[in-house]
Amino acid sequence: MKSYDLTSEEYNTILAFKRDLHQHPELSRNEVCTTQKIKEFLANIPSVEVLPLPLKTGVLARMKGTGDGPEIMLRADIDALPQTEEYESPWKSVNPGVMHACGHDFHTASLLGGILLLEKARMDSQLCGTVDFVFQPAEEGTTGARMLIDAGLFDMIHPDFCFGIHNWPSVKTGDVVCHEGALMSGKRNFEILIYGAGGHGSMPHLNVDPIVCTGAVIQSLQTVVSRNMNPLDSVVLSINMIEGGSPANMVADHVMMKGTIRSLSDSALDRAISRIETIVCKAAEAYECKSEIIWQERIPAVWNSPEMTALAKKCASVTGCRLTEAPPSLASEDFALYRAYVTSFFYWLGSTAEGDVPEELHKPRFHTDDTALRYGARLYAASVLN
Ligand code: NI
């Protein structure tokens, strides 16, 4: 299969697009200007049809090839993070407290570059079937994929395969990771409420203290990972926020905690969820408190099948990228939710220049090597053309 590449002019166009997004980042569910810019870009490619999406942000578009073939979905995310950028560049964020610290601007521009390449293939009668382009909002917080699915994404498109890319700072530009098996962690965030009965701090016998109970709950939850999980499974349980009580002489009425449970194994995640429910309920009961757990949606692990990994390696081989390996990550990606609807694959693409020090995702000095945009564009296109 012929491999397509961006001309200098096309590369400069998507580079400028990426840097404009970087300078004007927008938070999840508020990617209004970003959405508009993507639509304006696509309007210049007559073969691309933008489909109506009943959401404030995000773009769904489609290109039809000249022959029969599979329907393939390419996904990029578009949102930024509530963070202050510290990395100096002419395109540093001008939106205070908002930053593209996960490189979703890079993904968006890469997909636009991929669309330019697919258009060339279509003109050469090399594009068969249909390609769906999903510019997904609100990946940070892992709510955007669900939002799109609930808005009827898979009623509007019926892809046979789906590909997504994340830039990966610990991997050098020009390298790509096609990892078989669990790549990124499943997770479930939660809020725990412990209800007691507040009163005067001098009269413990007349009150029910939720703070002492909370201490016991937090300590007991530590045993989920250490005592209930297979040590060969990667599992993390963290309580990251706690709030309750007010004056020093009053017993609190209730306490609220927020936390997250994560695992590369979906079955370990389910077992951990069940243990959290039991421990919270029984510990609360032991301290004469009442409890409640409010669970957010369970995000499964990003998992690449052996068949799709073999296909992805074949696609990557025509892009000029070198195949490399990197250890899986306990970070999560709501790309994982698409797997229930479509056979999918998730790449990690190297995004740190040779000689540069990698800055991890979500760090204030995070930045991508933009020469890697070429590889991003090629990888999206090759996933369709091979
Ligand atoms: Ni990300």
Side-chain angles (χ1 to χ4, degrees):
M1 181 61 71
K2 188 175 169 187
S3 168
Y4 288 86
D5 200 3
L6 298 168
T7 63
S8 302
E9 193 187 341
E10 289 165 340
Y11 170 72
N12 287 332
T13 303
I14 65 159
L15 178 64
F17 192 97
K18 188 261 175 184
R19 290 178 172 174
D20 178 51
L21 287 194
H22 194 87
Q23 200 166 12
H24 305 96
E26 294 177 301
L27 291 174
S28 303
R29 295 170 185 254
N30 200 33
E31 311 92 335
V32 176
C33 296
T34 305
T35 295
Q36 190 54 33
K37 286 169 189 172
I38 295 166
K39 285 183 176 169
E40 281 165 15
F41 187 100
L42 296 177
N44 293 318
I45 310 169
S47 65
V48 173
E49 178 196 0
V50 174
L51 304 178
L53 202 56
L55 294 173
K56 185 172 126 191
T57 58
V59 179
L60 174 62
R62 168 186 286 168
M63 182 188 285
K64 279 194 158 52
T66 50
D68 287 342
E71 182 169 340
I72 298 176
M73 168 177 153
L74 301 179
R75 177 270 209 172
D77 42 15
I78 66 173
D79 54 326
L81 282 157
Q83 208 166 331
T84 298
E85 180 159 27
E86 289 176 11
Y87 189 72
E88 293 300 332
S89 72
W91 45 89
K92 185 178 178 179
S93 169
V94 295
N95 294 350
V98 186
M99 175 191 175
H100 267 296
C102 203
H104 297 185
D105 49 349
F106 177 93
H107 307 154
T108 302
S110 292
L111 181 51
L112 292 173
I115 294 173
L116 294 179
L117 299 183
L118 290 170
E119 171 62 3
K120 290 194 225 190
R122 194 191 64 83
M123 305 272 277
D124 288 351
S125 301
Q126 295 291 316
L127 179 65
C128 299
T130 302
V131 197
D132 305 311
F133 309 111
V134 175
F135 294 90
Q136 183 203 302
E139 194 287 321
E140 304 295 355
T142 54
T143 58
R146 173 57 60 203
M147 217 159 65
L148 278 175
I149 293 165
D150 288 349
L153 178 68
F154 294 111
D155 299 325
M156 289 180 270
I157 62 172
H158 303 91
D160 302 294
F161 302 101
C162 167
F163 294 88
I165 296 176
H166 209 293
N167 75 93
W168 212 246
S170 62
V171 175
K172 294 282 173 227
T173 297
D175 288 1
V176 63
V177 177
C178 296
H179 181 86
E180 183 179 318
L183 180 70
M184 299 180 76
S185 179
K187 77 159 182 194
R188 200 158 187 198
N189 292 345
F190 54 82
E191 192 176 311
I192 298 173
L193 291 140
I194 303 292
Y195 300 103
H200 200 289
S202 67
M203 304 169 189
H205 57 298
L206 300 181
N207 311 316
V208 178
D209 187 351
I211 287 186
V212 173
C213 174
T214 297
V217 166
I218 293 173
Q219 289 297 334
S220 305
L221 286 176
Q222 304 312 307
T223 64
V224 173
V225 175
S226 67
R227 299 294 86 194
N228 302 134
M229 296 294 122
N230 181 335
L232 297 177
D233 283 333
S234 303
V235 185
V236 175
L237 169 58
S238 303
I239 302 292
N240 293 320
M241 183 267 196
I242 179 165
E243 191 180 88
S246 181
N249 61 352
M250 289 280 288
V251 168
D253 207 46
H254 67 274
V255 174
M256 189 260 279
M257 298 167 257
K258 288 183 180 177
T260 185
I261 176 82
R262 293 162 178 266
S263 178
L264 288 169
S265 153
D266 287 338
S267 58
L269 184 65
D270 289 338
R271 165 89 170 122
I273 288 168
S274 151
R275 287 298 297 146
I276 291 169
E277 282 178 337
T278 305
I279 286 170
V280 170
C281 174
K282 298 296 179 190
E285 204 180 301
Y287 285 80
E288 299 184 308
C289 289
K290 292 203 166 18
S291 65
E292 183 184 357
I293 307 180
I294 300 167
W295 290 101
Q296 285 185 13
E297 178 167 15
R298 173 185 174 281
I299 305 292
V302 173
W303 185 84
N304 292 324
S305 73
E307 298 77 21
M308 285 302 282
T309 305
L311 176 64
K313 284 181 176 173
K314 184 167 155 259
C315 297
S317 69
V318 303
T319 62
C321 290
R322 291 172 300 262
L323 284 173
T324 189
E325 265 299 340
S329 167
L330 270 284
S332 295
E333 241 291 348
D334 70 3
F335 181 84
L337 287 172
Y338 297 127
R339 184 156 55 88
Y341 302 84
V342 52
T343 305
S344 55
F345 186 85
F346 203 61
Y347 297 100
W348 282 348
L349 183 66
S351 55
T352 297
E354 194 68 51
D356 193 7
V357 180
E359 281 291 336
E360 269 315 314
L361 305 170
H362 297 209
K363 293 279 190 188
R365 286 183 50 76
F366 169 82
H367 56 279
T368 52
D369 171 17
D370 291 338
T371 65
L373 283 170
R374 271 189 190 284
Y375 294 109
R378 284 187 213 163
L379 198 53
Y380 273 121
S383 300
V384 174
L385 297 173
N386 290 272

